[in-house]
Amino acid sequence: MPPDPASAASRPQVVAHRGASDERAEHTLGAYVAALDAGADALECDVRLTADGHLVCVHDRNVRRTASRRGLVSTMELAELAELDFASWKNPWADLDDEAPERDEEHHRVLTLRKLCEVAADYDRRIEVAIETKHPTRYSGLVEKRVVEVLRDFGWHRAGTPARVMSFSFTALQRIERLAPEVPRVMLMERAQYWPALRRVIGRDWLVGPGVEELADHPWLGPRITRAGHGMHVWTVNTREHLDLCLELGVRAVITDRPAFILEELGA
């Protein structure tokens, strides 16, 4: 059953980090379907550009960790990536489990941003998509240009869009602001000490994405971000303790590897 809109409005948005990546292989269709089945409000993905210009949902620049072979995403074409298995690393003994469900190959292959947006757009309730562009990359600003092209194809470049773009790169978010000014932007922040400098340069309407460990280790950080008028989307919230901290700070979204757990803790 879809979550009650009223209850969803009274709690932080639950964003599935690379899908339900605690239990499924990250960035695979299987991980995102599991997140939707759990009731996640939004899907988070990292995107990289292939050698032939496709945006794929892959975190690392090298596919060795998730596809068990060497190769840089930026030097590989989509067809080459599509031949790889991006899921078996998560459960290498699955073939020995006689009770395991029949394998769906589509759930194990590389996922494009376009496909992920199609899944979100076709779902029976509003699903938002948080897209992180990875930098540095050999393609520089072409990544943001391609992201905006995909968003325009879905009509998601206008006000009210279910999409937002996140990055640790201030320059990348400036590009998004120029190319699609109505798309929300989230300035991700890895270290608390970066906040004084970031506060002076980010847009007044930008969201801020600190890591939950930084919020816990630096109690001054969350209140200062809030006082500056910025909503917070916090990563990666996987425990009750960290969820409680986010609730105390009034964050707008919690990004989690465990959407089912977080939703259960929220009573959703």
Side-chain angles (χ1 to χ4, degrees), residues 34-210:
L36 293 174
D37 288 346
D41 305 306
L43 307 174
E44 185 271 351
C45 66
D46 306 287
V47 294
R48 292 185 177 276
L49 201 59
T50 66
D52 52 344
H54 294 275
L55 287 165
V56 291
C57 301
V58 179
H59 179 272
D60 303 351
R61 61 192 297 267
N62 195 310
V63 299
R64 178 172 51 190
R65 178 175 65 88
T66 52
S68 302
R69 60 151 285 183
R70 293 179 182 272
L72 302 181
V73 174
S74 61
T75 65
M76 302 173 72
E77 294 190 354
L78 179 59
E80 187 177 1
L81 287 165
E83 295 177 356
L84 304 179
D85 183 338
F86 277 84
S88 292
W89 67 273
K90 186 72 172 179
N91 186 7
W93 310 110
D95 290 342
L96 301 180
D97 184 358
D98 294 335
E99 298 181 359
E102 187 175 348
R103 177 183 171 102
D104 186 335
E105 292 299 328
E106 188 181 19
H107 285 202
H108 288 67
R109 301 303 176 186
V110 72
L111 182 66
T112 65
L113 176 62
R114 186 173 298 277
K115 176 64 176 178
L116 181 62
C117 290
E118 288 174 356
V119 170
D122 291 342
Y123 211 65
D124 61 3
R125 56 184 169 87
R126 179 180 170 94
I127 300 296
E128 298 196 359
V129 181
I131 304 164
E132 181 184 341
T133 62
K134 307 299 290 184
H135 290 279
T137 173
R138 70 179 63 208
Y139 298 118
S140 188
L142 186 57
V143 175
E144 283 71 39
K145 182 180 178 182
R146 289 283 189 265
V147 167
V148 172
E149 287 174 356
V150 171
L151 296 183
R152 285 184 179 277
D153 288 345
F154 285 84
W156 288 358
H157 60 294
R158 306 184 184 93
T161 173
R164 57 185 175 265
V165 178
M166 312 188 299
S167 187
F168 287 99
S169 167
F170 172 67
T171 303
L173 294 181
Q174 283 185 306
R175 294 188 195 110
I176 293 295
E177 190 168 47
R178 289 194 301 270
L179 294 168
E182 294 181 296
V183 173
R185 296 160 294 282
V186 184
M187 183 75 243
L188 297 175
M189 187 170 56
E190 197 166 14
R191 296 284 183 266
Q193 57 263 37
Y194 298 162
W195 174 241
L198 286 173
R199 181 182 62 82
R200 292 192 287 268
V201 297
I202 64 175
R204 187 172 298 177
D205 61 340
W206 288 23
L207 297 157
V208 177

